[in-house]
Amino acid sequence: MEGTKEYVAGQAEAIREELIQLSHDIHSHPECGFEEYYACDRIAGLLRSHGFRVDTGTGGLATAFTAVKKSGVSGGCQNGPRIAFLAEYDALEGLGHGCGHNMIAAMAAGAGIALSSVLDRLGGTVYVIGTPGEETKGGKILMQAQGAFADVDYVLMCHPTSGPSMVQRSARGCTTVYAGFTGKSAHSSNPASGINALTAVRAAFSNIDLMHPCFRFQDTVNGVIRQGGQANNVIPGEASCEFCLRSRTLGDLERLVGIVKHCAETAAMLTGARADIHVDPLFSERYPNIPMGQAFKENLESLGEPVSYPDPMGFYGSSDVSNLSLHMPVIHEYISIAPGEVNGHSPEFAAAAASEKGDRACILGAKALAMTGFDILSSSRLQREIQEAFERQVPAMYRTQDCPGNKRML
């Protein structure tokens, strides 16, 4: 049985308790983006105990890591396919693991450990790469800019979801626009002697609402006020807000960023406040690799989990792994842990990420990822189909290293 997909799945099953404990430990120690020291150390320790060489600080990020195990066989197979399972482990501010990243970390670690058990038979290299800050500034984008994925041929991930398990779901472009306004504090009895920074914030929101008729299909903007004053009898001299923007493509996202920035700048001009505006790195749209996704679907279904395809007209979220899909074959598939009525980024979803159903999905996801990695390692035909699909799916401009489409992501 050694050297078969069933063997690989069995290797994930053999470490079931270690993976579930890892998932629960990260869940009970939630850490926000780029502060995931406990999670990083915990995952790295598990991988080291299973023979991986682990280096932390990948891409200059303290809570990123690269774990690697290479084939020990001699000859050409030693330089075979290089497969990376990506781990995420950041939590949401004030909500804990309401996106289930504790499970993503455990599934990636489990898949890497399981697949590495057949490297000496099949050849190749297995990576487990820890990628912090997905919920905030996009750690993968920052790591990619530093060459962290330069030695990787294939990227595989699995994300928990509500509703049915599914494959080949795309994602929208996304970024955050921050706007800080500086006015002049004054006594509320004489507001004309000051410049109300909160009024500028309110005007920015109103301006964005006025521009909605100019939004394109799949454009969304959601904003919050971060600072608006401390006392109701003081005209606030400092106020700030931030907006989450999503669009169908990078080009649409750039256009939407321009609209939001103009709305904030106009609010500053109207009120006399000074605006300080900056934009996070841009998350791109995602191009899920179809042959890899189909292999994952068949593997997950063979384990007894039904898998569907997404609604092509659905309004989906965003992830920094999408930026990697512009440069290499990527899958970011979804496994169910809750009914469809449970919203992501909610306390209910956070609870599901450490539930019995979540634990079951964690093991199934690790097995299916490892089995898909086995398919890639063992089939030159599948490797060729994956590469051909990548070249068909991803616009050529994105695959040119110095094209504008790459430069605008940072």
Side-chain angles (χ1 to χ4, degrees):
M1 185 176 174
E2 185 176 353
T4 67
K5 279 202 289 188
E6 291 76 14
Y7 177 81
V8 168
Q11 293 300 296
E13 180 65 33
I15 56 171
R16 166 187 287 270
E17 295 307 317
E18 292 179 80
L19 299 181
I20 291 175
Q21 190 61 54
L22 175 65
S23 175
H24 285 211
D25 286 351
I26 295 173
H27 189 276
S28 62
H29 294 82
E31 301 162 302
C32 291
F34 306 110
E35 299 173 358
E36 315 97 320
Y37 293 97
Y38 176 86
C40 180
D41 289 346
R42 183 70 173 79
I43 305 163
L46 176 64
L47 291 166
R48 287 191 182 103
S49 73
H50 285 275
F52 280 76
R53 189 191 80 234
V54 184
D55 297 313
T56 57
T58 301
L61 302 180
T63 55
F65 69 84
T66 299
V68 61
K69 187 182 276 192
K70 295 185 177 182
S71 167
V73 302
S74 61
C77 287
Q78 192 170 11
N79 298 316
R82 300 168 297 181
I83 296 173
F85 302 103
L86 302 194
E88 294 173 0
Y89 32 89
D90 58 324
L92 294 158
E93 184 177 354
L95 193 57
H97 280 284
C99 204
H101 289 187
N102 57 299
M103 292 180 57
I104 298 176
M107 287 188 281
I113 293 167
L115 184 60
S116 71
S117 68
V118 295
L119 279 179
D120 286 349
R121 175 179 288 267
L122 297 177
T125 304
V126 172
Y127 292 89
V128 180
I129 302 178
T131 61
E134 188 274 339
E135 296 286 358
T136 51
K137 297 184 184 296
K140 295 179 193 63
I141 304 174
L142 305 176
M143 294 169 69
Q144 183 183 36
Q146 297 300 316
F149 306 99
D151 294 332
V152 171
D153 297 317
Y154 308 94
V155 166
L156 294 82
M157 290 185 65
C158 186
H159 196 297
T161 191
S162 300
S165 298
M166 65 179 67
V167 296
Q168 299 176 19
R169 196 174 96 180
S170 187
R172 289 183 283 171
C174 179
T175 194
T176 298
V177 176
Y178 304 86
F181 296 92
T182 302
K184 181 180 179 183
S185 296
H187 196 287
S188 63
S189 65
N190 186 17
S193 65
I195 297 175
N196 195 322
L198 179 58
T199 298
V201 166
R202 293 170 56 213
F205 275 82
S206 296
N207 290 345
I208 292 169
D209 287 341
L210 289 172
M211 291 300 294
H212 267 163
C214 297
F215 285 11
R216 290 176 175 168
F217 177 66
Q218 297 251 0
D219 283 357
T220 59
V221 177
N222 181 70
V224 295
I225 297 174
R226 283 295 193 182
Q227 178 187 8
Q230 300 297 319
N232 63 9
N233 61 348
V234 176
I235 301 300
E238 302 283 341
S240 63
C241 54
E242 60 187 57
F243 301 92
C244 176
L245 284 59
R246 299 186 199 272
S247 290
R248 187 179 60 87
T249 67
L250 273 175
D252 290 341
L253 182 61
E254 283 188 312
R255 177 180 180 273
L256 188 59
V257 167
I259 290 173
V260 171
K261 288 176 66 176
H262 184 64
C263 288
E265 291 163 353
T266 303
M269 292 173 59
L270 175 68
T271 59
R274 185 177 75 252
D276 178 20
I277 303 167
H278 66 276
V279 183
D280 273 350
L282 306 187
F283 291 26
S284 77
E285 71 271 24
R286 185 160 66 240
Y287 296 90
N289 189 271
I290 292 174
M292 273 207 298
Q294 190 63 29
F296 180 89
K297 180 178 187 292
E298 292 170 3
N299 287 320
L300 190 54
E301 287 178 333
S302 76
L303 299 170
E305 177 72 12
V307 182
S308 62
Y309 297 103
D311 176 0
M313 301 300 288
F315 279 64
Y316 299 119
S318 311
S319 173
D320 55 0
V321 75
S322 299
N323 295 62
L324 302 189
S325 78
L326 307 183
H327 301 283
M328 64 193 71
V330 165
I331 59 170
H332 181 276
E333 312 302 11
Y334 295 84
I335 189 164
S336 176
I337 66 169
E341 62 268 20
V342 174
N343 290 324
H345 289 203
S346 70
E348 294 78 15
F349 196 88
S355 67
E356 184 176 342
K357 185 171 183 179
D359 293 345
R360 172 184 176 273
C362 185
I363 303 305
L364 288 178
K367 290 179 178 179
L369 285 170
M371 293 164 73
T372 306
F374 178 93
D375 290 334
I376 296 169
L377 288 179
S378 60
S379 173
S380 58
R381 179 183 60 81
L382 179 59
Q383 295 169 26
R384 185 169 58 253
E385 290 175 353
I386 289 170
Q387 186 61 34
E388 290 171 353
F390 169 74
E391 293 173 2
R392 286 195 308 269
Q393 288 177 259
V394 180
M397 67 173 183
Y398 287 143
R399 291 184 277 110
T400 303
Q401 197 63 35
D402 58 352
C403 78
N406 294 322
K407 292 178 180 178
R408 64 187 170 195
M409 283 180 275
L410 286 175

